[in-house]
Amino acid sequence: MATPKKARQRSLLQFLALLIAVVIIIVAAVLAQSWWNNRPGPEPGDVTVTARVGDASLEVSPYLVCEPGLECPEGEVPNLPVGPDDTLVLEIPEAIHDHDWQLLMIYDDPAANDQQLHGAYDAESVDIPGSVDPLSEGGERPRLMVVEISSAMIGLDAAGEETPYATVWSLSTMGEQAG
């Protein structure tokens, strides 16, 4: 039979071991959360938007990636035909939709052009009709021609410093099928 003194000593050791374990778990959780919050995001030029029409799918890379005040080289504008009765689905990655971004839809009738402003986590995908209702009675349905997504993103400059970038993804929706 253990003496009361040994029992208290064993109880104290168990309590200290438990206390040390709790402290280690808390420190590990704080360090993991700090790393998670401060990990670098993708470079703006590496972020792609997925565009889908029916079974056709396309990864859209940025058309423009510019540091403020610097000349901006233009990239390629991919084409994904969208018929008048089709719906274009854009899947917006978290690197874009985790902050404010905007969507510009350009139609063959400038009066039908539309712009949507989105806040953080408003939408992870957007459905865009291939044509919209005519603006005048008896008129033709304006057809979707170009879609642009724009967002301010943070990336690294030539010196390795974080800097803002204006980033634009552009997609042409005209083609043989949509023409």
Side-chain angles (χ1 to χ4, degrees):
M1 187 170 193
T3 64
K5 185 176 180 181
K6 285 202 180 236
R8 268 184 293 181
Q9 195 175 30
R10 196 169 105 188
S11 180
L12 180 62
L13 286 175
Q14 287 176 337
F15 177 74
L16 287 175
L18 180 61
L19 185 62
I20 290 171
V22 167
V23 168
I24 289 172
I25 290 171
I26 290 172
V27 167
V30 167
L31 291 174
Q33 184 67 37
S34 176
W35 172 83
W36 184 261
N37 290 337
N38 296 318
R39 74 189 189 287
E43 284 297 309
D46 297 336
V47 177
T48 61
V49 173
T50 303
R52 287 187 292 115
V53 176
D55 293 335
S57 180
L58 181 67
E59 290 292 317
V60 181
S61 295
Y63 170 69
L64 297 172
V65 179
C66 299
E67 283 184 65
L70 297 180
E71 185 150 340
C72 192
E74 296 178 358
E76 294 291 318
V77 177
N79 185 57
L80 182 62
V82 178
D85 298 323
D86 292 336
T87 299
L88 173 65
V89 178
L90 298 176
E91 295 173 9
I92 312 300
E94 186 175 11
I96 298 172
H97 78 76
D98 68 355
H99 60 281
D100 293 351
W101 58 281
Q102 64 182 2
L103 174 67
L104 176 64
M105 295 156 286
I106 301 173
Y107 291 86
D108 59 5
D109 179 352
N113 292 350
D114 193 14
Q115 181 177 14
Q116 297 176 0
L117 303 175
H118 292 273
Y121 297 101
D122 274 356
E124 294 179 17
S125 69
V126 181
D127 294 350
I128 303 169
S131 64
V132 294
D133 291 333
L135 302 172
S136 60
E137 197 171 313
E140 288 189 36
R141 292 178 61 84
R143 298 275 307 277
L144 184 65
M145 295 179 64
V146 176
V147 175
E148 286 191 352
I149 296 168
S150 57
S151 174
M153 299 186 74
I154 301 295
L156 300 178
D157 64 11
E161 298 292 320
E162 287 189 345
T163 188
Y165 284 90
T167 311
V168 177
W169 295 261
S170 187
L171 174 68
S172 168
T173 60
M174 301 305 291
E176 303 79 40
Q177 183 181 13

